[in-house]
Amino acid sequence: MPRPDARTAAVVAALGALALLVMLVVWRRQDFLGVVLALLCVLLTMVAGVSVSAARQGVDPEPADRPFAAGPPELMPYGIDADTLDALDSRDALRAVRDRRRGSGGFSDR
């Protein structure tokens, strides 16, 4: 048996949530059964929302090889991980690492 797609699951869950909501309004139950029906209504609403989101992503998937949107190359210290950047909180230390990567030996003419 094939698995239903996201749109079908969204429609079925939304119709189920609507039916439970109508039952809650008509019966006006304020006991354990009313609480269970309300929780099922909330659960089906969440399933419908997630299914709608999955259907939208299935129609318009993001490209897997999308280039990383980065700043100018002079501001991006390539080859340095996040832990190193956290340790380097001064601009002079970061400039020294960048100069060393460029091959200038870490000395500047300033």
Side-chain angles (χ1 to χ4, degrees), residues 11-37:
V11 169
V12 170
L15 288 175
L18 183 64
L20 285 175
L21 184 63
V22 168
M23 285 174 45
L24 281 170
V25 170
V26 170
W27 282 356
R28 295 183 187 216
R29 300 216 41 158
Q30 294 183 359
D31 57 352
F32 182 71
L33 183 61
V35 171
V36 170
L37 289 176

Side-chain angles (χ1 to χ4, degrees), residues 41-73:
C41 183
V42 169
L43 178 68
L44 285 175
T45 304
M46 295 299 294
V47 168
V50 169
S51 297
V52 167
S53 177
R56 285 183 181 169
Q57 285 183 352
V59 171
D60 222 10
E62 293 185 19
D65 57 345
R66 184 177 63 178
F68 178 74

Side-chain angles (χ1 to χ4, degrees), residues 91-109:
R91 292 184 186 266
D92 293 331
L94 187 58
R95 186 178 302 121
V97 170
R98 202 175 321 147
D99 291 341
R100 185 177 32 170
R101 296 266 308 155
R102 288 184 185 149
S104 65
F107 301 106
S108 64
D109 54 353

